[in-house]
Amino acid sequence: MSAMIDTPADAPARSNEIVTLQAHILQQQTRYPEASGQFSWILSALAISAKMIASHVRRARLDDVLGTVGNQNVQGEQQQKLDVIANDILLRTLGGREGVAIVASEENEEPVILRADDAAERKYCVLFDPLDGSSNLDVCGSVGTIFSILRKDRRSPQPQSSLLQPGAEQVAAGYVLYGSSTVFVLTIGLGVDMFVLDPAYGAFMRVAQGVRIPKSNKCYSVNEGNRLSFPEGYQKYLSWAQERGYSSRYAGAMVADVHRILLQGGVFMYPPTRKAPKGKLRLMYEANPMAMIVEQAGGKALSAPGERILEVRPTDIHQRVPVIIGSSEEVEHVAAHL
Ligand code: AHG
Ligand code: MN
Ligand code: MN
């Protein structure tokens, strides 16, 4: 007789169950009896960070923390005050987790070594974009947080190189959307689950398990203002889509745009432009985590025709990569024109 593991994680989900993100993480942990709990602690640090950042985002104008700090980050982009606040929150919450060896952020030029010793429990590296789409803040638009979790590569002598693993090696990835509600979307490689922050209880409540992206939807999401500087194939695709009655939707925050596509289908792109020949989005903490989410939901994520984002070999933690992400059929329509 084959062994059945009788754990809550294997029990059929009942539609009226109330499950918080915290309970969900503990349920998942029971699948791995050998688990030390370090990984669950990291996810819980991300959950509390999300609640704290959500609260700052909601109060930004009241607290007078809109606008730029006056500095540029490593990408040469203006840092918003909330970029710095969100980054600080993540560094401080993850800083308290014994399982995290290294963190890397869009806002820090170098990775932050939290614990240099090689103890067995220092197993994970967390990479993040603390606030995605931060220029939307001044106009009360949606913003997000994106994260990627890798196992520390013990063979690498340098911390920087231990982070440089292809996205296919991610053990978990997710994003938080600070929109009309605060949504936490997570994958640990077993499909995609979605949680919404209930402001009355201060807890993320599970609202969907095993999210699947629609196979197609006539919708594209791209900064069309750059159209004339896209490679020709992208321009041809846009003409092709427009002839077929596609809709265009673009929030200017990858998290918001990809979230819409995850739920309703379509394709999100950030192609190469003359100004940004490799595109604008960052591989390690924007493209890779979003690619893992979308693939886990049954979609596709390419950097070029036939090239999965998750297989790109990184050479720098801040490198950029072109992105074509979304419903499998819509991604293939774009690729067919390139
Ligand atoms: P960030 O605020 O973290 O720098 O990211 C902004 C990114 C991404 O969220 C969005 O898709 C893209 O920049 C928008 O860029 P354009 O303004 O060039 O369209
Ligand atoms: Mn971003
Ligand atoms: Mn950012």
Side-chain angles (χ1 to χ4, degrees):
M1 207 177 106
S2 64
M4 291 275 293
I5 308 170
D6 184 20
T7 65
D10 294 281
R14 290 190 298 276
S15 58
N16 63 348
E17 273 181 342
I18 295 174
V19 180
T20 62
L21 175 58
Q22 214 59 36
H24 174 87
I25 293 169
L26 291 174
Q27 279 183 355
Q28 298 295 333
Q29 194 186 313
T30 61
R31 287 176 174 232
Y32 305 94
E34 72 289 356
S36 64
Q38 297 290 355
F39 180 66
S40 302
W41 270 112
I42 294 169
L43 293 177
S44 92
L46 293 167
I48 185 66
S49 304
K51 289 181 206 173
M52 293 171 72
I53 296 169
S55 156
H56 283 277
V57 165
R58 304 271 175 248
R59 296 190 49 83
R61 188 165 286 277
L62 296 170
D63 290 344
D64 198 20
V65 287
L66 292 176
T68 59
V69 194
N71 296 336
Q72 288 190 345
N73 66 13
V74 59
Q75 330 288 336
E77 294 157 354
Q78 281 294 329
Q79 273 184 320
Q80 302 277 323
K81 291 176 191 159
L82 270 174
D83 283 323
V84 176
I85 292 171
N87 193 42
D88 192 50
I89 287 173
L90 282 156
L91 290 173
R92 287 169 61 200
T93 55
L94 289 165
R97 301 304 197 244
E98 290 295 315
V100 188
I102 308 170
V103 296
S105 164
E106 179 191 6
E107 304 301 335
N108 297 106
E109 184 158 4
E110 296 295 332
V112 179
I113 318 294
L114 290 174
R115 295 170 187 86
D117 65 277
D118 220 13
E121 62 268 28
R122 320 270 186 258
K123 277 194 290 213
Y124 298 101
C125 306
V126 186
L127 299 95
F128 48 84
D129 175 354
L131 213 49
D132 173 65
S134 53
S135 63
N136 276 1
L137 283 167
D138 293 358
V139 294
C140 213
S142 294
V143 291
T145 295
I146 313 175
F147 61 87
S148 162
I149 306 180
L150 291 165
R151 255 191 206 91
K152 188 182 171 198
D153 183 351
R154 286 169 189 283
R155 294 161 302 181
S156 302
Q158 300 299 330
Q160 169 99 358
S161 55
S162 89
L163 293 170
L164 296 179
Q165 305 175 45
E169 301 293 331
Q170 292 171 106
V171 287
Y175 63 79
V176 188
L177 170 61
Y178 312 102
S180 58
S181 55
T182 301
V183 182
F184 195 114
V185 174
L186 173 68
T187 181
I188 58 167
L190 301 167
V192 176
D193 303 311
M194 187 162 85
F195 307 82
V196 174
L197 183 62
D198 186 327
Y201 306 130
F204 280 104
M205 314 305 279
R206 191 168 71 197
V207 294
Q209 279 186 282
V211 174
R212 303 299 290 170
I213 183 170
K215 278 198 164 33
S216 63
N217 182 25
K218 289 182 165 186
C219 180
Y220 62 77
S221 184
V222 68
N223 186 343
E224 245 176 308
N226 295 330
R227 178 178 178 144
L228 295 181
S229 84
F230 292 159
E232 202 186 343
Y234 287 95
Q235 299 191 36
K236 285 191 177 150
Y237 164 78
L238 289 170
S239 300
W240 175 92
Q242 285 161 8
E243 281 158 19
R244 282 159 185 77
Y246 274 56
S247 286
S248 163
R249 294 282 183 275
Y250 193 66
M254 184 193 202
V255 170
D257 286 318
V258 171
H259 187 66
R260 183 187 331 98
I261 282 164
L262 179 71
L263 300 187
Q264 298 185 343
V267 59
F268 171 85
M269 294 172 273
Y270 208 109
T273 62
R274 269 195 294 280
K275 198 171 125 201
K278 293 188 169 170
K280 179 182 178 191
L281 299 176
R282 279 57 60 109
L283 174 66
M284 300 299 287
Y285 42 79
E286 290 181 319
N288 272 341
M290 289 310 209
M292 182 176 182
I293 292 270
V294 166
E295 284 200 4
Q296 284 286 318
K300 286 194 174 176
L302 304 181
S303 57
E307 280 178 34
R308 283 170 75 215
I309 289 172
L310 295 181
E311 286 173 6
V312 173
R313 294 226 150 254
T315 52
D316 185 290
I317 56 167
H318 297 295
Q319 85 189 61
R320 297 171 194 264
V321 70
V323 164
I324 311 161
I325 244 176
S327 299
S328 53
E329 290 180 14
E330 303 303 339
V331 169
E332 285 308 329
H333 286 315
V334 179
H337 285 84
L338 301 183

